[in-house]
């Protein structure tokens, strides 16, 4: 998907609006910017002002995008099946399942009613937050193909020069980002799953404005507790405690693959490579490998060899979501990593 795409003609945009609203556009808006402020793979965005006076943005789905996406997904699936047949070493990555997961996600992204509901939920969660702001949804004007949101003005979160020129403290912006992310995951259990810089803006009052709620994720209470305990253990670099914690979890649920993988991770970090591989072997015997995490190189290499030998596959759920976590982690300098570690610690201990 792209966030800089040639826009479709404004005449088509107006026609879609009038078809969805079932009335002429001038009966809804007092002004409409003919030049879109953004054009992406699925939709483009126009500024407008409602007759009632509110400044809004109109997110309009591209004409015939459903057909184009269907064709692209079919091409991807055929390529994945071809790779699966011709390159046995790639089978562990479950490419066909990744394509299916992608297709499911992108269909949800094209449903603007669902996106509006997601936005409304995020707005409720951050209603009194000093760190984040979520624009209001105009539900009465939003449809499957049109989403109407309050217009917010800010600086893209990765535009460092403009942020510094405007007087923002970058360390404070980073702290807010951490607070927002961990609130979503550890408190709300409902998180924005596409937090790239084009969806995050620093507003004049210092809060981070969040937009584009087409992809979201959910975390159960059990997962929240597991994540919190994991973060605390690893931030403190207390791998012995992490191993003991997951060992107890495995005893309570001996067939739970997720627990066994975390246990293996703890063993690997402690340098117990052979024991870590044995733990992964137990997980593989239970069923499909899920939720693999980063390990020291020796464990990772041994695990990969084991997967190829056993002809096991990685979960499509994890493969489809790992990129954001890697980008988030790999984009930090050592100093930023240390600040992030302390911020994680402070947040977790405040729960």
């Amino acid at each position: 998907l792209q966030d800089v795409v040639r826009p479709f003609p404004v005449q088509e945009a107006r026609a879609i609006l009038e078809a969805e609203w079932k009335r002429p556009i001038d009966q809804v808006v007092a002004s409409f910017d003919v030049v879109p402020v953004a054009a992406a793979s699925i939709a483009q965005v126009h500024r407008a002002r409602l007759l009632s006076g509110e400044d809004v943005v109109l997110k309009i789905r591209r004409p015939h995008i459903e057909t184009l996406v269907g064709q692209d997904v079919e091409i991807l699936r055929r390529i994945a099946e071809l790779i699966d047949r011709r390159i046995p070493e790639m089978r562990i990555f479950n490419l066909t399942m990744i394509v299916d997961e992608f297709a499911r996600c992108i269909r949800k992204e094209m449903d603007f009613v669902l996106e509006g509901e997601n936005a409304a939920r995020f707005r409720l969660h951050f209603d009194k937050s000093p760190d984040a702001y979520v624009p209001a949804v105009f539900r009465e004007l939003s449809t499957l193909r049109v989403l109407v949101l309050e217009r917010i003005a800010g600086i893209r979160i990765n535009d460092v020069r403009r942020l510094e020129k405007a007087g923002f403290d970058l360390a404070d912006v980073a702290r807010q980002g951490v607070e927002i992310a961990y609130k979503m995951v550890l408190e709300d259990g409902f998180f924005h799953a596409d937090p790239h810089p084009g969806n995050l803006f620093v507003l004049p009052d210092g809060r981070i404005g969040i937009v584009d709620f087409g992809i979201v994720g959910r975390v159960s209470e059990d997962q929240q507790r597991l994540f919190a305990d994991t973060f605390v253990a690893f931030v403190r670099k207390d791998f012995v405690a992490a191993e003991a914690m997951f060992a107890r979890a495995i005893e309570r649920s001996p067939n739970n693959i997720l627990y066994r993988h975390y246990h293996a991770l703890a063993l690997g970090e402690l340098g117990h490579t052979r024991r870590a591989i044995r733990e992964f072997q137990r997980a593989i015997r239970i069923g499909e490998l899920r939720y693999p995490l980063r390990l020291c190189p020796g464990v990772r290499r041994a695990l990969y060899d084991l997967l190829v030998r056993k002809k096991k596959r990685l979960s499509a759920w994890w493969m489809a979501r790992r990129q954001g976590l890697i980008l988030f982690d790999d984009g930090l300098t050592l100093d930023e990593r240390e600040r992030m570690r302390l911020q994680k610690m402070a947040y977790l201990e405040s729960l």
Side-chain angles (χ1 to χ4, degrees):
L1 297 178
Q2 302 291 323
D3 61 2
V4 180
V5 180
R6 177 180 294 179
F8 57 87
V10 67
Q11 294 84 355
E12 292 186 57
R14 293 177 68 99
I16 292 170
L17 291 173
E18 293 185 344
E20 293 298 302
W21 290 340
K22 297 180 172 56
R23 50 188 152 163
I25 189 172
D26 58 11
Q27 291 184 13
V28 180
V29 300
S31 64
F32 174 78
D33 288 1
V34 296
V35 178
V37 294
S41 301
I42 293 174
Q44 68 185 36
V45 178
H46 291 261
R47 293 192 183 102
R49 176 168 292 170
L50 301 179
L51 290 175
S52 51
E54 295 94 340
D55 289 326
V56 298
V57 291
L58 311 177
K59 185 175 180 179
I60 306 168
R61 199 167 73 185
R62 284 185 171 273
H64 316 299
I65 188 64
E66 308 96 316
T67 302
L68 292 174
V69 167
Q71 292 171 348
D72 288 348
V73 167
E74 184 58 30
I75 292 170
L76 286 173
R77 185 175 286 109
R78 292 185 181 185
I79 292 173
E81 290 171 351
L82 180 63
I83 293 173
D84 212 33
R85 289 196 304 270
R86 299 292 181 87
I87 311 176
E89 295 83 359
M90 293 293 291
R91 290 174 187 165
I92 66 167
F93 296 108
N94 248 344
L95 297 182
T96 54
M97 289 185 68
I98 293 173
V99 172
D100 291 340
E101 175 73 3
F102 169 76
R104 185 184 66 81
C105 288
I106 200 168
R107 288 190 197 102
K108 286 188 174 182
E109 277 198 87
M110 292 190 292
D111 183 345
F112 289 172
V113 172
L114 178 60
E115 181 175 345
E117 293 299 322
N118 292 338
R121 182 171 175 181
F122 277 113
R123 183 172 171 83
L124 180 64
H125 288 172
F126 287 96
D127 182 42
K128 301 184 185 304
S129 171
D131 297 313
Y133 185 80
V134 177
V137 182
F138 291 80
R139 293 183 178 179
E140 68 280 6
L141 296 175
S142 297
T143 70
L144 191 66
R145 296 198 295 167
V146 174
L147 179 62
V148 183
L149 294 169
E150 171 191 2
R151 188 195 310 175
I152 59 174
I155 302 171
R156 274 178 65 130
I157 201 165
N158 65 338
D159 194 340
V160 174
R161 290 185 180 179
R162 285 188 63 196
L163 288 173
E164 290 178 331
K165 187 176 180 180
F168 290 107
D169 184 334
L170 298 184
D172 194 48
V173 173
R175 177 198 61 77
Q176 289 174 282
V178 172
E179 295 282 355
I180 291 167
Y182 283 89
K183 180 184 185 314
M184 288 180 183
V185 174
L186 296 176
E187 291 185 31
D188 303 331
F190 186 71
F191 62 92
H192 193 300
D194 192 23
H196 63 74
N199 290 338
L200 302 170
F201 300 86
V202 180
L203 305 181
D205 65 3
R207 288 182 292 178
I208 295 177
I210 308 171
V211 299
D212 194 352
F213 306 94
I215 306 178
V216 299
R218 292 168 175 79
V219 182
S220 70
E221 289 185 10
D222 287 343
Q223 289 172 325
Q224 286 177 316
R225 177 47 50 198
L226 179 60
F227 291 159
D229 290 345
T230 302
F231 286 137
V232 168
F234 281 97
V235 166
R236 289 174 173 167
K237 298 184 179 180
D238 188 352
F239 300 121
V240 174
E243 180 185 2
M245 177 181 64
F246 289 117
R248 289 195 301 271
I250 290 169
E251 288 173 4
R252 292 195 301 269
S253 182
N255 291 328
N256 190 302
I257 303 170
L258 173 60
Y259 287 149
R260 287 201 175 278
H261 289 186
Y262 275 115
H263 189 210
L265 172 64
L267 290 169
E269 293 290 354
L270 286 167
H272 303 316
T273 303
R274 293 189 179 217
R275 290 177 61 195
I277 294 301
R278 284 200 299 271
E279 196 59 61
F280 277 113
Q281 287 175 317
R282 293 191 190 100
I284 288 171
R285 282 198 294 271
I286 293 170
E288 180 193 27
L289 182 63
R290 296 178 185 271
Y291 310 105
L293 299 172
R294 287 184 174 185
L295 304 171
C296 58
V299 175
R300 189 165 59 242
R301 180 70 254 175
L303 173 60
Y304 178 80
D305 292 342
L306 179 65
L307 288 169
V308 173
R309 194 164 62 250
K310 297 290 186 178
K311 299 181 180 179
K312 296 295 179 181
R313 298 173 179 236
L314 300 179
S315 162
W317 185 94
W318 180 81
M319 290 299 296
R321 287 163 175 75
R322 65 188 291 273
Q323 181 182 6
L325 297 174
I326 291 175
L327 288 174
F328 179 75
D329 186 54
D330 287 353
L332 300 175
T333 66
L334 289 177
D335 287 343
E336 289 169 333
R337 288 178 194 274
E338 181 62 19
R339 286 201 300 273
M340 192 73 75
R341 187 185 76 83
L342 296 174
Q343 289 161 357
K344 287 178 184 177
M345 192 64 167
Y347 184 88
L348 290 164
E349 292 189 339
S350 73
L351 294 178

